[in-house]
Amino acid sequence: MPHLTEFGNSLDGELFTPDSPGYDAIRRPVNVAYGDVRPRLVVLCRSASDVVDAVTYAAATGNRIAPRGGGHCFAGRSSTEGIVLDMSGLDGISVSDGGVATIGAGACLGQVYAALHASGRTLPAGCGPTVGITGLTLGGGIGLLGRKHGLTCDRLVGAQVVLADGSVVDCNNDHEPDLFWGLRGAGGGQFGVVTLLRFDTVPEPITTRIEAHWPDIALEQLVSAWQAWAPDAPDELIANLTLVSEPGAPVQATLFGASTLEEGATRELLQELIDGAGAAPTIELRSGLPYHHLKRTFADPRDVPERALRMRSEFFSHSMAHGTLASLLTQLGDPGTTGRREITFTAMGGAYNRVAEAATAFAHRSERFLLEHIAEAADPWVDRSWATAHADGSGRVYPNFPDPALDDWAVAYHAGNHPRLRAVKNAYDPHRFFDFPQAI
Ligand SMILES: Cc1cc2nc3c(=O)[nH]c(=O)nc-3n(C[C@H](O)[C@H](O)[C@H](O)COP(=O)(O)OP(=O)(O)OC[C@H]3O[C@@H](n4cnc5c(N)ncnc54)[C@H](O)[C@@H]3O)c2cc1C
Protein backbone atom coordinates (compact mmCIF):
# COMPACT_ATOMS: atom_id res chain seq x y z
CA MET A 1 0.00 0.00 0.00
CA PRO A 2 1.37 3.48 -0.88
CA HIS A 3 2.60 5.41 2.14
CA LEU A 4 0.58 8.44 3.20
CA THR A 5 3.66 10.47 4.15
CA GLU A 6 5.31 9.82 0.79
CA PHE A 7 2.12 10.83 -0.97
CA GLY A 8 1.92 14.02 1.14
CA ASN A 9 5.57 14.91 0.49
CA SER A 10 5.12 14.61 -3.27
CA LEU A 11 2.38 17.25 -3.35
CA ASP A 12 2.60 20.88 -4.45
CA GLY A 13 -0.48 21.36 -2.30
CA GLU A 14 -1.30 20.07 1.17
CA LEU A 15 -2.74 17.04 2.86
CA PHE A 16 -5.20 17.22 5.75
CA THR A 17 -6.02 14.24 7.95
CA PRO A 18 -8.49 14.43 10.87
CA ASP A 19 -5.49 15.23 13.13
CA SER A 20 -4.18 18.11 11.04
CA PRO A 21 -4.64 21.73 12.11
CA GLY A 22 -7.15 23.26 9.72
CA TYR A 23 -8.83 19.93 8.94
CA ASP A 24 -12.21 20.97 10.28
CA ALA A 25 -12.32 24.16 8.25
CA ILE A 26 -11.24 22.59 4.98
CA ARG A 27 -13.36 19.43 5.24
CA ARG A 28 -16.72 21.28 5.38
CA PRO A 29 -18.53 22.01 2.13
CA VAL A 30 -20.38 25.31 1.87
CA ASN A 31 -23.67 23.40 1.92
CA VAL A 32 -24.26 22.88 5.67
CA ALA A 33 -26.55 19.92 5.01
CA TYR A 34 -23.34 17.89 4.48
CA GLY A 35 -21.28 19.56 7.22
CA ASP A 36 -21.04 16.37 9.31
CA VAL A 37 -19.35 14.25 6.65
CA ARG A 38 -15.78 13.56 7.77
CA PRO A 39 -13.39 12.61 4.95
CA ARG A 40 -10.41 10.38 5.72
CA LEU A 41 -8.26 12.85 3.81
CA VAL A 42 -8.60 16.23 2.18
CA VAL A 43 -6.07 17.00 -0.53
CA LEU A 44 -5.68 20.69 -1.28
CA CYS A 45 -4.55 20.46 -4.91
CA ARG A 46 -2.28 23.11 -6.40
CA SER A 47 -1.34 21.38 -9.67
CA ALA A 48 -2.63 18.79 -12.13
CA SER A 49 0.11 16.49 -10.87
CA ASP A 50 -1.39 16.73 -7.35
CA VAL A 51 -4.68 15.52 -8.83
CA VAL A 52 -2.90 12.65 -10.59
CA ASP A 53 -1.15 11.66 -7.35
CA ALA A 54 -4.42 11.82 -5.39
CA VAL A 55 -6.34 9.75 -7.93
CA THR A 56 -3.54 7.18 -8.00
CA TYR A 57 -3.38 7.05 -4.20
CA ALA A 58 -7.16 6.74 -3.87
CA ALA A 59 -7.28 3.92 -6.43
CA ALA A 60 -4.43 2.03 -4.73
CA THR A 61 -5.99 2.36 -1.27
CA GLY A 62 -9.57 1.64 -2.35
CA ASN A 63 -10.85 5.06 -1.30
CA ARG A 64 -13.76 6.90 -2.86
CA ILE A 65 -12.83 10.31 -4.23
CA ALA A 66 -14.92 13.47 -4.53
CA PRO A 67 -13.65 16.56 -6.36
CA ARG A 68 -14.80 19.81 -4.78
CA GLY A 69 -14.93 23.26 -6.38
CA GLY A 70 -17.29 25.69 -4.66
CA GLY A 71 -18.74 22.92 -2.44
CA HIS A 72 -22.35 23.87 -3.19
CA CYS A 73 -23.70 20.60 -4.58
CA PHE A 74 -27.32 20.25 -3.42
CA ALA A 75 -26.91 16.46 -3.23
CA GLY A 76 -23.61 16.52 -1.31
CA ARG A 77 -21.61 14.94 -4.13
CA SER A 78 -18.48 16.90 -3.30
CA SER A 79 -18.42 15.34 0.19
CA THR A 80 -17.25 11.82 1.03
CA GLU A 81 -15.86 9.82 3.90
CA GLY A 82 -13.04 8.88 1.52
CA ILE A 83 -10.85 11.54 -0.10
CA VAL A 84 -11.99 15.07 -0.90
CA LEU A 85 -10.01 16.85 -3.60
CA ASP A 86 -10.21 20.52 -2.74
CA MET A 87 -9.50 22.20 -6.07
CA SER A 88 -9.32 25.75 -4.72
CA GLY A 89 -5.54 25.89 -5.15
CA LEU A 90 -6.00 25.58 -8.92
CA ASP A 91 -7.62 28.93 -9.59
CA GLY A 92 -5.42 30.74 -12.11
CA ILE A 93 -7.25 32.71 -14.82
CA SER A 94 -5.80 34.20 -18.00
CA VAL A 95 -7.35 35.61 -21.17
CA SER A 96 -5.72 35.43 -24.61
CA ASP A 97 -5.87 38.26 -27.17
CA GLY A 98 -8.53 36.29 -29.00
CA GLY A 99 -10.74 36.22 -25.90
CA VAL A 100 -10.16 32.58 -24.94
CA ALA A 101 -10.06 32.30 -21.13
CA THR A 102 -8.03 29.56 -19.49
CA ILE A 103 -9.46 28.97 -16.04
CA GLY A 104 -8.16 26.71 -13.26
CA ALA A 105 -10.88 24.26 -12.23
CA GLY A 106 -10.96 25.51 -8.63
CA ALA A 107 -11.92 29.11 -9.46
CA CYS A 108 -15.24 30.45 -8.23
CA LEU A 109 -17.59 32.68 -10.21
CA GLY A 110 -16.66 35.85 -8.29
CA GLN A 111 -13.00 35.35 -9.26
CA VAL A 112 -13.93 34.52 -12.85
CA TYR A 113 -16.10 37.59 -13.40
CA ALA A 114 -13.51 39.89 -11.82
CA ALA A 115 -10.62 38.52 -13.89
CA LEU A 116 -12.55 38.57 -17.17
CA HIS A 117 -13.86 42.09 -16.44
CA ALA A 118 -10.24 43.29 -16.32
CA SER A 119 -9.94 42.18 -19.96
CA GLY A 120 -13.33 43.60 -20.99
CA ARG A 121 -14.72 40.08 -21.34
CA THR A 122 -17.22 37.88 -19.55
CA LEU A 123 -19.10 34.57 -19.67
CA PRO A 124 -22.78 33.74 -19.53
CA ALA A 125 -22.70 32.06 -16.12
CA GLY A 126 -24.50 31.81 -12.82
CA CYS A 127 -25.11 34.19 -9.96
CA GLY A 128 -23.57 33.02 -6.66
CA PRO A 129 -19.99 34.41 -6.41
CA THR A 130 -18.82 31.38 -4.41
CA VAL A 131 -20.25 28.83 -6.87
CA GLY A 132 -17.45 26.89 -8.59
CA ILE A 133 -16.95 27.47 -12.31
CA THR A 134 -16.36 23.75 -12.88
CA GLY A 135 -19.42 22.42 -11.04
CA LEU A 136 -21.53 25.04 -12.79
CA THR A 137 -20.14 24.35 -16.27
CA LEU A 138 -20.23 20.54 -16.06
CA GLY A 139 -23.97 20.67 -15.30
CA GLY A 140 -24.82 23.41 -17.82
CA GLY A 141 -24.70 26.93 -16.35
CA ILE A 142 -27.81 29.11 -16.37
CA GLY A 143 -27.45 32.86 -15.86
CA LEU A 144 -28.52 36.39 -16.68
CA LEU A 145 -26.81 36.43 -20.10
CA GLY A 146 -27.99 32.93 -20.97
CA ARG A 147 -30.93 33.83 -23.19
CA LYS A 148 -28.47 35.82 -25.33
CA HIS A 149 -25.33 33.67 -25.17
CA GLY A 150 -26.51 30.23 -24.02
CA LEU A 151 -25.29 28.03 -21.18
CA THR A 152 -21.84 28.38 -19.66
CA CYS A 153 -21.01 24.96 -21.11
CA ASP A 154 -21.98 26.21 -24.59
CA ARG A 155 -18.94 28.55 -24.41
CA LEU A 156 -16.55 25.75 -23.34
CA VAL A 157 -13.96 25.02 -26.04
CA GLY A 158 -11.63 22.66 -24.22
CA ALA A 159 -10.77 21.04 -20.91
CA GLN A 160 -8.00 19.09 -19.21
CA VAL A 161 -9.14 16.04 -17.26
CA VAL A 162 -7.43 13.51 -15.00
CA LEU A 163 -9.03 10.11 -15.62
CA ALA A 164 -9.48 7.23 -13.20
CA ASP A 165 -6.24 5.55 -14.35
CA GLY A 166 -4.26 8.70 -13.56
CA SER A 167 -3.79 9.73 -17.19
CA VAL A 168 -4.19 13.38 -18.15
CA VAL A 169 -6.18 14.13 -21.30
CA ASP A 170 -6.90 17.34 -23.14
CA CYS A 171 -10.25 17.28 -24.86
CA ASN A 172 -12.09 19.50 -27.29
CA ASN A 173 -14.28 19.09 -30.36
CA ASP A 174 -11.46 17.41 -32.33
CA HIS A 175 -9.57 15.55 -29.63
CA GLU A 176 -11.42 13.06 -27.37
CA PRO A 177 -14.70 14.57 -28.65
CA ASP A 178 -16.96 12.14 -26.75
CA LEU A 179 -15.43 13.10 -23.42
CA PHE A 180 -15.70 16.78 -24.35
CA TRP A 181 -19.35 16.27 -25.31
CA GLY A 182 -20.05 14.59 -21.96
CA LEU A 183 -18.44 17.40 -19.99
CA ARG A 184 -20.93 19.89 -21.39
CA GLY A 185 -24.00 19.43 -19.24
CA ALA A 186 -24.12 15.93 -17.73
CA GLY A 187 -23.23 17.13 -14.21
CA GLY A 188 -20.02 17.18 -12.17
CA GLY A 189 -17.75 14.33 -11.18
CA GLN A 190 -18.97 11.86 -13.81
CA PHE A 191 -15.89 11.02 -15.93
CA GLY A 192 -12.80 12.38 -14.22
CA VAL A 193 -11.35 15.35 -12.37
CA VAL A 194 -11.24 18.49 -14.48
CA THR A 195 -8.14 20.57 -13.85
CA LEU A 196 -8.51 23.30 -16.47
CA LEU A 197 -11.28 24.81 -18.58
CA ARG A 198 -11.00 26.91 -21.74
CA PHE A 199 -13.85 29.21 -22.72
CA ASP A 200 -14.64 31.36 -25.70
CA THR A 201 -15.63 34.47 -23.74
CA VAL A 202 -17.93 37.26 -24.93
CA PRO A 203 -17.37 41.03 -24.77
CA GLU A 204 -18.61 42.26 -21.38
CA PRO A 205 -21.87 44.12 -22.02
CA ILE A 206 -23.17 47.23 -20.34
CA THR A 207 -26.42 46.20 -18.70
CA THR A 208 -29.59 47.53 -17.14
CA ARG A 209 -30.46 46.01 -13.80
CA ILE A 210 -34.13 45.16 -13.32
CA GLU A 211 -35.94 44.87 -10.02
CA ALA A 212 -39.70 45.24 -9.55
CA HIS A 213 -42.00 44.54 -6.60
CA TRP A 214 -45.72 44.00 -6.48
CA PRO A 215 -46.70 44.31 -2.80
CA ASP A 216 -50.31 43.45 -3.47
CA ILE A 217 -51.33 41.77 -6.69
CA ALA A 218 -53.49 38.95 -8.02
CA LEU A 219 -50.66 36.39 -8.12
CA GLU A 220 -52.29 34.07 -10.62
CA GLN A 221 -52.65 36.82 -13.19
CA LEU A 222 -49.04 37.90 -12.63
CA VAL A 223 -47.62 34.39 -13.01
CA SER A 224 -49.81 33.69 -16.05
CA ALA A 225 -48.61 36.90 -17.67
CA TRP A 226 -44.97 36.09 -16.82
CA GLN A 227 -45.25 32.56 -18.26
CA ALA A 228 -46.58 33.94 -21.55
CA TRP A 229 -44.07 36.79 -21.75
CA ALA A 230 -40.64 36.04 -20.23
CA PRO A 231 -39.65 32.96 -22.28
CA ASP A 232 -40.51 34.80 -25.53
CA ALA A 233 -38.98 38.16 -24.65
CA PRO A 234 -36.08 39.35 -26.83
CA ASP A 235 -32.81 37.54 -26.03
CA GLU A 236 -31.41 40.80 -24.65
CA LEU A 237 -33.70 40.59 -21.64
CA ILE A 238 -34.00 38.09 -18.85
CA ALA A 239 -36.48 38.63 -16.03
CA ASN A 240 -37.11 35.96 -13.41
CA LEU A 241 -39.98 35.94 -10.97
CA THR A 242 -39.76 35.02 -7.29
CA LEU A 243 -42.70 34.58 -4.93
CA VAL A 244 -41.87 34.48 -1.22
CA SER A 245 -44.16 33.57 1.63
CA GLU A 246 -43.19 34.33 5.23
CA PRO A 247 -45.27 33.50 8.30
CA GLY A 248 -48.02 36.05 8.88
CA ALA A 249 -47.32 38.07 5.74
CA PRO A 250 -48.86 38.16 2.27
CA VAL A 251 -46.86 36.53 -0.55
CA GLN A 252 -44.33 38.98 -2.02
CA ALA A 253 -43.71 39.01 -5.76
CA THR A 254 -40.35 40.22 -7.10
CA LEU A 255 -39.13 40.39 -10.66
CA PHE A 256 -35.37 40.55 -11.04
CA GLY A 257 -33.09 40.35 -14.00
CA ALA A 258 -30.97 42.16 -16.54
CA SER A 259 -31.09 43.49 -20.03
CA THR A 260 -28.38 44.53 -22.42
CA LEU A 261 -30.70 47.27 -23.72
CA GLU A 262 -30.94 50.91 -22.69
CA GLU A 263 -33.23 51.83 -19.83
CA GLY A 264 -36.01 53.14 -22.10
CA ALA A 265 -36.14 50.02 -24.26
CA THR A 266 -36.06 47.84 -21.16
CA ARG A 267 -38.95 49.76 -19.62
CA GLU A 268 -41.01 49.35 -22.80
CA LEU A 269 -40.52 45.59 -22.72
CA LEU A 270 -41.45 45.40 -19.05
CA GLN A 271 -44.66 47.29 -19.82
CA GLU A 272 -45.87 44.24 -21.79
CA LEU A 273 -45.66 42.16 -18.60
CA ILE A 274 -47.25 44.89 -16.49
CA ASP A 275 -50.17 45.17 -18.93
CA GLY A 276 -50.69 41.41 -18.74
CA ALA A 277 -50.40 41.36 -14.95
CA GLY A 278 -52.96 44.11 -14.61
CA ALA A 279 -51.13 46.01 -11.86
CA ALA A 280 -48.12 48.31 -11.80
CA PRO A 281 -45.17 47.38 -9.61
CA THR A 282 -42.60 49.66 -8.07
CA ILE A 283 -39.78 49.38 -10.58
CA GLU A 284 -36.14 50.15 -10.09
CA LEU A 285 -34.01 50.21 -13.23
CA ARG A 286 -30.29 50.97 -13.10
CA SER A 287 -28.60 51.31 -16.45
CA GLY A 288 -24.96 51.65 -17.46
CA LEU A 289 -23.69 48.79 -15.29
CA PRO A 290 -20.89 46.58 -16.61
CA TYR A 291 -22.19 43.02 -16.25
CA HIS A 292 -19.62 42.25 -13.53
CA HIS A 293 -21.02 45.09 -11.39
CA LEU A 294 -24.61 44.07 -12.01
CA LYS A 295 -23.88 40.55 -10.83
CA ARG A 296 -22.62 41.79 -7.50
CA THR A 297 -25.87 43.64 -6.80
CA PHE A 298 -27.98 40.50 -6.60
CA ALA A 299 -28.17 38.44 -3.41
CA ASP A 300 -28.90 34.78 -4.15
CA PRO A 301 -31.67 33.21 -2.02
CA ARG A 302 -29.79 29.89 -2.07
CA ASP A 303 -26.64 31.51 -0.68
CA VAL A 304 -27.38 31.07 3.03
CA PRO A 305 -24.49 28.94 4.27
CA GLU A 306 -25.75 28.85 7.85
CA ARG A 307 -29.11 27.23 6.99
CA ALA A 308 -29.82 23.79 5.55
CA LEU A 309 -32.24 24.45 2.71
CA ARG A 310 -33.95 21.96 0.45
CA MET A 311 -34.62 22.72 -3.16
CA ARG A 312 -36.51 20.79 -5.81
CA SER A 313 -37.03 21.91 -9.38
CA GLU A 314 -38.31 21.00 -12.82
CA PHE A 315 -38.36 22.41 -16.33
CA PHE A 316 -41.60 23.38 -18.07
CA SER A 317 -42.03 23.32 -21.83
CA HIS A 318 -45.43 25.02 -21.67
CA SER A 319 -47.34 27.26 -19.30
CA MET A 320 -48.99 25.70 -16.26
CA ALA A 321 -52.70 25.03 -16.53
CA HIS A 322 -54.99 27.34 -14.60
CA GLY A 323 -55.88 24.68 -11.99
CA THR A 324 -52.25 23.70 -11.37
CA LEU A 325 -51.16 27.27 -10.92
CA ALA A 326 -54.07 28.04 -8.59
CA SER A 327 -53.18 25.05 -6.36
CA LEU A 328 -49.49 25.95 -6.37
CA LEU A 329 -50.21 29.49 -5.23
CA THR A 330 -52.73 28.40 -2.60
CA GLN A 331 -50.14 26.07 -1.06
CA LEU A 332 -47.50 28.78 -1.12
CA GLY A 333 -49.76 31.28 0.62
CA ASP A 334 -51.02 28.75 3.20
CA PRO A 335 -51.45 30.73 6.45
CA GLY A 336 -49.99 27.74 8.35
CA THR A 337 -46.54 28.52 6.93
CA THR A 338 -43.92 28.06 9.62
CA GLY A 339 -40.91 29.41 7.79
CA ARG A 340 -39.83 31.12 4.61
CA ARG A 341 -40.95 29.41 1.41
CA GLU A 342 -40.04 30.47 -2.04
CA ILE A 343 -40.73 29.60 -5.65
CA THR A 344 -38.66 31.04 -8.48
CA PHE A 345 -39.49 31.01 -12.18
CA THR A 346 -36.38 31.29 -14.37
CA ALA A 347 -36.90 32.12 -18.04
CA MET A 348 -35.32 29.79 -20.58
CA GLY A 349 -35.82 30.02 -24.38
CA GLY A 350 -33.55 32.25 -26.50
CA ALA A 351 -30.01 30.99 -27.11
CA TYR A 352 -30.47 28.08 -24.66
CA ASN A 353 -32.86 26.53 -27.16
CA ARG A 354 -30.92 27.24 -30.34
CA VAL A 355 -28.55 24.34 -29.65
CA ALA A 356 -29.65 20.87 -30.72
CA GLU A 357 -30.57 18.50 -27.87
CA ALA A 358 -27.83 16.02 -28.83
CA ALA A 359 -25.14 18.61 -29.62
CA THR A 360 -23.94 18.67 -26.00
CA ALA A 361 -24.74 16.45 -23.02
CA PHE A 362 -27.21 19.09 -21.77
CA ALA A 363 -30.48 17.72 -23.11
CA HIS A 364 -32.99 20.42 -22.14
CA ARG A 365 -33.21 22.58 -25.23
CA SER A 366 -36.96 23.03 -25.67
CA GLU A 367 -37.91 24.34 -22.25
CA ARG A 368 -39.70 27.62 -21.54
CA PHE A 369 -38.83 27.99 -17.88
CA LEU A 370 -37.42 26.37 -14.77
CA LEU A 371 -39.34 26.34 -11.49
CA GLU A 372 -37.58 26.01 -8.11
CA HIS A 373 -39.22 25.33 -4.75
CA ILE A 374 -36.98 26.28 -1.77
CA ALA A 375 -37.60 26.06 1.99
CA GLU A 376 -35.99 24.84 5.21
CA ALA A 377 -34.84 21.24 4.82
CA ALA A 378 -37.49 19.89 7.21
CA ASP A 379 -40.44 21.68 5.57
CA PRO A 380 -42.70 19.10 3.83
CA TRP A 381 -44.13 21.90 1.66
CA VAL A 382 -41.21 21.46 -0.80
CA ASP A 383 -42.45 18.01 -1.84
CA ARG A 384 -46.09 19.07 -1.94
CA SER A 385 -45.38 22.14 -4.01
CA TRP A 386 -43.11 20.21 -6.39
CA ALA A 387 -45.71 17.44 -6.83
CA THR A 388 -48.44 19.98 -7.59
CA ALA A 389 -46.40 21.73 -10.28
CA HIS A 390 -45.08 18.41 -11.62
CA ALA A 391 -48.55 17.70 -13.07
CA ASP A 392 -47.65 20.18 -15.85
CA GLY A 393 -43.85 19.88 -15.83
CA SER A 394 -41.84 18.39 -18.68
CA GLY A 395 -40.32 15.73 -16.39
CA ARG A 396 -36.88 17.24 -17.08
CA VAL A 397 -34.60 18.30 -14.24
CA TYR A 398 -31.51 20.51 -14.38
CA PRO A 399 -28.43 18.33 -13.62
CA ASN A 400 -26.99 21.14 -11.47
CA PHE A 401 -30.03 20.92 -9.21
CA PRO A 402 -29.70 17.20 -8.34
CA ASP A 403 -32.71 15.79 -6.59
CA PRO A 404 -32.32 12.51 -4.66
CA ALA A 405 -36.14 12.12 -4.56
CA LEU A 406 -36.54 11.67 -8.34
CA ASP A 407 -38.01 8.35 -9.53
CA ASP A 408 -36.49 8.24 -12.99
CA TRP A 409 -33.44 10.44 -12.63
CA ALA A 410 -31.67 9.22 -15.79
CA VAL A 411 -34.49 10.44 -18.02
CA ALA A 412 -35.08 13.55 -15.92
CA TYR A 413 -31.44 14.73 -16.11
CA HIS A 414 -30.31 13.34 -19.45
CA ALA A 415 -33.37 12.39 -21.55
CA GLY A 416 -32.31 11.09 -24.99
CA ASN A 417 -28.63 11.73 -24.25
CA HIS A 418 -28.46 9.06 -21.56
CA PRO A 419 -27.44 6.13 -23.83
CA ARG A 420 -24.50 8.11 -25.26
CA LEU A 421 -23.51 9.25 -21.76
CA ARG A 422 -23.43 5.63 -20.62
CA ALA A 423 -21.15 4.78 -23.52
CA VAL A 424 -18.83 7.67 -22.59
CA LYS A 425 -18.84 6.50 -18.95
CA ASN A 426 -17.94 2.95 -20.04
CA ALA A 427 -15.13 4.24 -22.24
CA TYR A 428 -13.56 6.65 -19.74
CA ASP A 429 -14.43 5.19 -16.34
CA PRO A 430 -15.25 1.52 -16.95
CA HIS A 431 -14.77 0.50 -13.30
CA ARG A 432 -16.90 3.35 -11.93
CA PHE A 433 -14.09 4.87 -9.89
CA PHE A 434 -16.08 8.12 -9.94
CA ASP A 435 -19.35 7.07 -8.41
CA PHE A 436 -22.22 8.49 -6.34
CA PRO A 437 -26.00 7.97 -6.20
CA GLN A 438 -27.51 8.91 -9.60
CA ALA A 439 -24.09 8.84 -11.33
CA ILE A 440 -24.21 7.84 -14.99
C1 LIG B 1 -25.92 30.02 -3.90
C2 LIG B 1 -26.08 29.23 -5.16
C3 LIG B 1 -26.28 29.91 -6.36
C4 LIG B 1 -26.41 29.20 -7.55
N1 LIG B 1 -26.61 29.90 -8.70
C5 LIG B 1 -26.70 29.22 -9.86
C6 LIG B 1 -26.93 29.91 -11.08
O1 LIG B 1 -27.07 31.13 -11.11
N2 LIG B 1 -26.98 29.19 -12.23
C7 LIG B 1 -26.82 27.83 -12.24
O2 LIG B 1 -26.85 27.26 -13.31
N3 LIG B 1 -26.62 27.15 -11.10
C8 LIG B 1 -26.57 27.81 -9.91
N4 LIG B 1 -26.40 27.11 -8.75
C9 LIG B 1 -26.24 25.65 -8.80
C10 LIG B 1 -24.78 25.30 -9.08
O3 LIG B 1 -24.55 25.39 -10.47
C11 LIG B 1 -24.47 23.86 -8.63
O4 LIG B 1 -24.75 23.75 -7.26
C12 LIG B 1 -23.02 23.50 -8.94
O5 LIG B 1 -22.91 22.10 -9.02
C13 LIG B 1 -22.09 24.04 -7.90
O6 LIG B 1 -20.78 23.79 -8.22
P1 LIG B 1 -19.67 23.92 -7.07
O7 LIG B 1 -18.34 23.74 -7.69
O8 LIG B 1 -19.92 25.17 -6.31
O9 LIG B 1 -20.06 22.73 -6.12
P2 LIG B 1 -19.30 21.38 -5.72
O10 LIG B 1 -20.17 20.78 -4.68
O11 LIG B 1 -17.88 21.63 -5.38
O12 LIG B 1 -19.34 20.54 -7.06
C14 LIG B 1 -20.52 20.19 -7.72
C15 LIG B 1 -20.32 18.86 -8.45
O13 LIG B 1 -19.27 19.02 -9.40
C16 LIG B 1 -18.21 18.12 -9.10
N5 LIG B 1 -16.94 18.80 -9.34
C17 LIG B 1 -16.48 19.91 -8.73
N6 LIG B 1 -15.26 20.22 -9.20
C18 LIG B 1 -14.95 19.28 -10.11
C19 LIG B 1 -13.81 19.05 -10.94
N7 LIG B 1 -12.76 19.86 -10.90
N8 LIG B 1 -13.84 17.99 -11.78
C20 LIG B 1 -14.91 17.17 -11.83
N9 LIG B 1 -16.00 17.33 -11.06
C21 LIG B 1 -16.02 18.38 -10.22
C22 LIG B 1 -18.38 17.74 -7.64
O14 LIG B 1 -17.78 16.50 -7.33
C23 LIG B 1 -19.90 17.72 -7.55
O15 LIG B 1 -20.41 16.52 -8.09
C24 LIG B 1 -26.31 27.79 -7.55
C25 LIG B 1 -26.13 27.11 -6.34
C26 LIG B 1 -26.03 27.82 -5.15
C27 LIG B 1 -25.85 27.07 -3.87
Side-chain angles (χ1 to χ4, degrees):
M1 178 171 309
H3 203 278
L4 183 63
T5 315
E6 263 173 46
F7 166 45
N9 287 341
S10 73
L11 292 174
D12 296 314
E14 277 172 72
L15 202 63
F16 295 81
T17 66
D19 301 328
S20 311
Y23 168 81
D24 228 38
I26 199 164
R27 80 171 170 83
R28 288 179 202 274
V30 178
N31 188 335
V32 289
Y34 304 97
D36 291 338
V37 182
R38 296 181 65 82
R40 185 159 302 155
L41 280 181
V42 180
V43 184
L44 172 58
C45 297
R46 291 216 169 87
S47 63
S49 98
D50 282 357
V51 177
V52 172
D53 287 356
V55 165
T56 309
Y57 180 82
T61 53
N63 274 290
R64 194 172 279 271
I65 206 162
R68 177 180 294 166
H72 280 290
C73 179
F74 292 108
R77 295 175 183 167
S78 57
S79 295
T80 172
E81 288 176 355
I83 300 178
V84 168
L85 293 194
D86 182 319
M87 301 295 288
S88 62
L90 272 161
D91 62 352
I93 301 172
S94 62
V95 186
S96 75
D97 289 345
V100 172
T102 302
I103 302 181
C108 290
L109 295 186
Q111 296 169 280
V112 171
Y113 287 127
L116 298 187
H117 170 73
S119 302
R121 312 291 298 183
T122 197
L123 277 174
C127 287
T130 60
V131 167
I133 183 70
T134 306
L136 179 96
T137 303
L138 298 183
I142 293 170
L144 293 176
L145 291 182
R147 300 190 67 255
K148 190 169 167 66
H149 293 297
L151 297 165
T152 316
C153 74
D154 293 337
R155 307 300 305 181
L156 191 69
V157 293
Q160 185 184 65
V161 187
V162 176
L163 299 176
D165 62 3
S167 58
V168 183
V169 292
D170 270 300
C171 64
N172 55 40
N173 261 328
D174 302 319
H175 190 69
E176 311 280 354
D178 284 342
L179 177 61
F180 182 58
W181 176 84
L183 293 182
R184 285 172 293 157
Q190 304 276 13
F191 308 111
V193 183
V194 174
T195 50
L196 199 82
L197 299 160
R198 284 186 201 88
F199 292 96
D200 183 13
T201 61
V202 298
E204 183 180 27
I206 298 298
T207 55
T208 298
R209 181 188 191 278
I210 300 167
E211 187 165 343
H213 297 272
W214 285 265
D216 185 17
I217 185 172
L219 291 175
E220 199 179 325
Q221 195 175 340
L222 172 62
V223 177
S224 295
W226 183 91
Q227 289 183 116
W229 169 80
D232 294 324
D235 295 355
E236 287 73 20
L237 179 135
I238 186 155
N240 301 328
L241 181 65
T242 293
L243 306 182
V244 175
S245 104
E246 305 255 20
V251 172
Q252 297 294 308
T254 302
L255 186 81
F256 65 96
S259 94
T260 51
L261 304 168
E262 298 285 335
E263 187 176 327
T266 304
R267 200 174 284 278
E268 268 175 39
L269 288 171
L270 289 174
Q271 192 57 46
E272 295 172 18
L273 172 67
I274 294 166
D275 291 345
T282 52
I283 304 183
E284 193 196 331
L285 296 183
R286 275 168 65 192
S287 56
L289 291 175
Y291 182 59
H292 167 57
H293 293 163
L294 171 128
K295 278 281 185 194
R296 292 193 305 198
T297 66
F298 283 114
D300 194 301
R302 293 161 296 205
D303 207 356
V304 279
E306 71 285 359
R307 278 161 56 212
L309 296 180
R310 179 142 179 268
M311 194 263 272
R312 298 195 70 188
S313 69
E314 188 170 353
F315 285 114
F316 288 72
S317 55
H318 54 77
S319 293
M320 267 184 257
H322 167 75
T324 309
L325 182 54
S327 303
L328 185 79
L329 297 173
T330 304
Q331 286 171 350
L332 179 68
D334 173 4
T337 304
T338 52
R340 182 186 162 95
R341 294 171 175 171
E342 176 175 329
I343 56 176
T344 292
F345 297 81
T346 297
M348 301 297 290
Y352 293 126
N353 292 1
R354 285 196 289 272
V355 175
E357 190 149 320
T360 68
F362 186 88
H364 317 295
R365 302 293 190 167
S366 314
E367 305 301 326
R368 286 181 65 76
F369 62 91
L370 173 65
L371 177 60
E372 294 167 54
H373 316 249
I374 307 172
E376 300 289 337
D379 190 340
W381 164 83
V382 173
D383 285 321
R384 285 203 303 272
S385 185
W386 184 87
T388 299
H390 178 57
D392 290 346
S394 63
R396 306 286 189 98
V397 174
Y398 180 28
N400 265 342
F401 293 170
D403 180 351
L406 289 174
D407 288 334
D408 194 352
W409 57 266
V411 171
Y413 298 139
H414 311 303
N417 286 340
H418 189 236
R420 184 171 174 194
L421 284 169
R422 281 175 55 183
V424 178
K425 180 76 174 171
N426 285 337
Y428 287 94
D429 184 20
H431 305 298
R432 306 191 65 77
F433 177 69
F434 298 103
D435 203 13
F436 47 83
Q438 300 183 339
I440 292 159

